[in-house]
C-alpha cells in the first residue's frame, strides 16, 4: 500500500494544535496524523527507549543472545569469554584464565623469562598509546643483522627514522629502544659497506643530536663520537668509491652536532686523540663542503672558550686556521677569520700566530679582498673583519 503524508504541502500540519486540509479534500485534518490509503494513522507522541536486555548480541556474525526473548524471562547476556575484553585488566584476566597454572608455577620457581619479540613490543607500544614508538621499532627491524641484507629497505627505514627523530621526544624514545646501537651497527664493519646506508645512519644521529642534551649524553655513553671519527678516516674503504664523500660529509655533520651541543660535550669529545687531528686534516680536504663543515666546527670550538679554545692554541691548529683564512671559498675564509679573532684573546695563541707569520699572510688576504672590492666582487664585511683581526694582533 502507498503511504501519503497529507500534510506535505504545509509543514505546520505536524505541529501541535495545527490543522490543514488533506490533499484532494475540503475537511481539515488533525496534527500528528498520517493518511495511509485514505485511513488515518496516528503518529507516536513520544520515543520510548527499551531496556538494554532487549538488545540482541552477535559475535562474529553469530547470534548469541536474542533480545526478543527478554520478555520470556531470559537473563541479559554477560561478558563473553571467547575473546579478551577491551581493557588491559580484562586482557590480563583472560590470559590468566587461559594459561596453564602448572606451567606458570614452574616458570615462576625457575625465574624463567622470555624477552618480548619486536612484534610484541610494537603491539604493546600501540596499546600504551605510543604509535610512533611502534613505527620506529618496525623500522629498526629492517636494520637488524638478519634483515639488513635488503639494503634498499634498510635505507628507506633510515629515512623514516630521520623523519621521526626531528621531534625531540621521539629522538629520546629512539635512544631508549636501542636506536643508537642500531645506527652504530650500520656504521660498523659487519654491516654492508654501502655509502647510502652509512650516510643514512649518520643523518639519523645528526638529527637526534640537534639541540637535544639528553640524546647527546646517550650518544657519548655509547661511544658514538669514536664511531664517527672512524667513519671519517675509513670512508675511502667503501665499495662505492665515487660516493665515499657522502658518508664522510654526514659523519662530520653528526660530529659537529655533538660538538656544538654544549661545552662539556665538546671537551669530552676533544679528549679523544683522533678528534683534533681529524678536524684539522679535513680543513684541507679537496671537497669544499668538507672544508666548510670542518672549519665551522673549529670556529664553534673557539667560540666555546676555555679548554675548547685551548686545544686550538697549538702550532698545528693556528697554521690550519691561517691556511683556511686564505682559502678560495669565501665561507671558509669567513669562519677561519672568526676563529682566529676568538684565539686572539689568548696570549699563548697570539704568540703562535705571530710566530707563524699571521700578519704577513693575513695582510695578503686583506689586499686581495680590497682589490676585489674595487671591481665589485669582494666582501666588505670580510675585509672589515680582517682589519680588526690585524689591529687586535698589533695591540
Amino acid at each position: 500500500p502507498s503511504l501519503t503524508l497529507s500534510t506535505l504541502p504545509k509543514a505546520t500540519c505536524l505541529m501541535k494544535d495545527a490543522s490543514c486540509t488533506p490533499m484532494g479534500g475540503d475537511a481539515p485534518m488533525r496534527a500528528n496524523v498520517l493518511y495511509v490509503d485514505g485511513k488515518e494513522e496516528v503518529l507516536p507522541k513520544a520515543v520510548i527507549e527499551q531496556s538494554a536486555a532487549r538488545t540482541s548480541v552477535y559475535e562474529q556474525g553469530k547470534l548469541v543472545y536474542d533480545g526478543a526473548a527478554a520478555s520470556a524471562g531470559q537473563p541479559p547476556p554477560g561478558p563473553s569469554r571467547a575473546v579478551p575484553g577491551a581493557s588491559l585488566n580484562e586482557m590480563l584476566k583472560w590470559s590468566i584464565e587461559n594459561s596453564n597454572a602448572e606451567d606458570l608455577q614452574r616458570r615462576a620457581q625457575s625465574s624463567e623469562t622470555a624477552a618480548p619479540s619486536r612484534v610484541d613490543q610494537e603491539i604493546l607500544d600501540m596499546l600504551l598509546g605510543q604509535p610512533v614508538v611502534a613505527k620506529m621499532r618496525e623500522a629498526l627491524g629492517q636494520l637488524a643483522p638478519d634483515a639488513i641484507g635488503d639494503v634498499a629497505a634498510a635505507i628507506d627505514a633510515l629515512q623514516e627514522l630521520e623523519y621521526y627523530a626531528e621531534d625531540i621526544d621521539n629522538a629520546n624514545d629512539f635512544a631508549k629502544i636501542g636506536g643508537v646501537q642500531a645506527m652504530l651497527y650500520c656504521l660498523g664493519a659487519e654491516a654492508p659497506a654501502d655509502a647510502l646506508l652509512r650516510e643514512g645512519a649518520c643523518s639519523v644521529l645528526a638529527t637526534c643530536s640537534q639541540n637535544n642534551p639528553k640524546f647527546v649524553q646517550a650518544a657519548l655513553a655509547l661511544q658514538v663520537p669514536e664511531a664517527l671519527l672512524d667513519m671519517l678516516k675509513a670512508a675511502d674503504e667503501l665499495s662505492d668509491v665515487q660516493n665515499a664523500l657522502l658518508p664522510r660529509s654526514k659523519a662530520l655533520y653528526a660530529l659537529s652536532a655533538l660538538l656544538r651541543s654544549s661545552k662539556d660535550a665538546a671537551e669530552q669529545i676533544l679528549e679523544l686523540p683522533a678528534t683534533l687531528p681529524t678536524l684539522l686534516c679535513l680543513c684541507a680536504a679537496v671537497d669544499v663542503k668538507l672544508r666548510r663543515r670542518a672549519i665551522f666546527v673549529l670556529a664553534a670550538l673557539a667560540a666555546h672558550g676555555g679548554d675548547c679554545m685551548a686545544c686550538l692554541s697549538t702550532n698545528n691548529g693556528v697554521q690550519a686556521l691561517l691556511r683556511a683564512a686564505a682559502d678560495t671559498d669565501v665561507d671558509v675564509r669567513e669562519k677561519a677569520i672568526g676563529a682566529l679573532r676568538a684565539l686572539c684573546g689568548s696570549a699563548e695563541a697570539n704568540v703562535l700566530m705571530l710566530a707563524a707569520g699571521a700578519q704577513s699572510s693575513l695582510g695578503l688576504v686583506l689586499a686581495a679582498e680590497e682589490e676585489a672590492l674595487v671591481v665589485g666582487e669582494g666582501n666588505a664585511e670580510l675585509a672589515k673583519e680582517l682589519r680588526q683581526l690585524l689591529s687586535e694582533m698589533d695591540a
Side-chain angles (χ1 to χ4, degrees), residues 30-296:
R30 299 192 309 275
N32 300 331
V33 174
L34 288 178
Y35 280 82
V36 181
D37 293 335
K39 297 181 180 180
E40 291 185 356
E41 295 288 346
V42 180
L43 295 174
K45 295 182 179 180
V47 176
I48 301 176
E49 184 176 357
Q50 297 293 334
S51 169
R54 295 179 178 271
T55 302
S56 298
V57 178
Y58 292 82
E59 282 188 0
Q60 299 181 352
K62 181 181 179 181
L63 179 65
V64 296
Y65 174 76
D66 186 0
S71 58
Q74 181 177 335
S80 173
R81 299 289 183 178
V83 295
S87 69
L88 291 176
N89 287 334
E90 291 181 1
M91 291 181 66
L92 177 61
K93 182 179 180 181
W94 178 89
S95 63
I96 294 175
E97 291 175 351
N98 290 270
S99 298
N100 188 307
E102 296 180 357
D103 186 52
L104 291 176
Q105 185 177 5
R106 178 184 60 81
R107 292 186 180 185
Q109 292 175 350
S110 62
S111 300
E112 180 184 343
T113 58
S117 67
R118 179 176 57 83
V119 175
D120 292 336
Q121 292 172 330
E122 291 176 16
I123 294 174
L124 183 59
D125 291 332
M126 294 295 291
L127 291 174
L128 295 178
Q130 295 179 312
V132 174
V133 176
K135 292 178 181 178
M136 288 194 295
R137 286 189 193 275
E138 183 179 1
L140 287 174
Q142 299 294 329
L143 306 174
D146 58 346
I148 203 171
D150 187 353
V151 177
I155 293 173
D156 291 340
L158 287 170
Q159 292 176 349
E160 183 180 359
L161 290 170
E162 183 179 0
Y163 169 75
Y164 293 135
E166 292 178 356
D167 181 271
I168 291 180
D169 292 333
N170 292 341
N172 291 330
D173 289 335
F174 177 74
K176 295 176 183 177
I177 63 176
V180 178
Q181 292 89 332
M183 298 304 100
L184 292 175
Y185 173 76
C186 292
L187 298 179
E190 297 180 358
D194 185 87
L196 294 178
L197 179 69
R198 295 185 177 183
E199 180 195 19
C202 290
S203 294
V204 173
L205 291 172
T207 302
C208 291
S209 302
Q210 298 290 339
N211 303 316
N212 192 346
K214 287 185 178 180
F215 184 88
V216 169
Q217 291 302 316
L220 294 176
L222 293 172
Q223 299 181 338
V224 170
E226 290 89 332
L228 294 174
L229 288 169
D230 290 341
M231 187 75 250
L232 289 170
K233 294 184 293 182
D236 292 332
E237 299 175 5
L238 292 171
S239 58
D240 190 353
V241 179
Q242 291 182 345
N243 290 329
L245 176 64
L246 297 176
R248 176 174 287 181
S249 179
K250 287 296 183 179
L252 181 56
Y253 176 48
L255 185 64
S256 171
L258 292 172
L259 284 166
R260 293 182 290 107
S261 61
S262 69
K263 181 179 177 181
D264 292 338
E267 290 177 352
Q268 187 172 341
I269 297 173
L270 286 171
E271 291 178 358
L272 300 175
T275 302
L276 191 58
T278 301
L279 292 174
L280 295 179
C281 181
L282 290 173
C283 288
V286 175
D287 183 74
V288 66
K289 290 184 179 179
L290 284 176
R291 298 203 305 273
R292 286 174 182 171
R293 286 186 174 174
I295 199 65
F296 179 75

Side-chain angles (χ1 to χ4, degrees), residues 252 255-256 259-260 266 270 275-284 290-305 308-314 316-324 332 335-340 342-343:
L252 181 56
L255 185 64
S256 171
L259 284 166
R260 293 182 290 107
L270 286 171
T275 302
L276 191 58
T278 301
L279 292 174
L280 295 179
C281 181
L282 290 173
C283 288
L290 284 176
R291 298 203 305 273
R292 286 174 182 171
R293 286 186 174 174
I295 199 65
F296 179 75
V297 175
L298 294 181
L301 292 176
H304 276 318
C308 295
M309 186 175 66
C311 77
L312 295 176
S313 300
T314 62
N316 291 336
V318 169
Q319 289 182 359
L321 291 174
L322 288 175
R323 285 193 299 269
V332 175
K335 291 297 181 182
I337 292 169
L340 287 169
L343 289 182

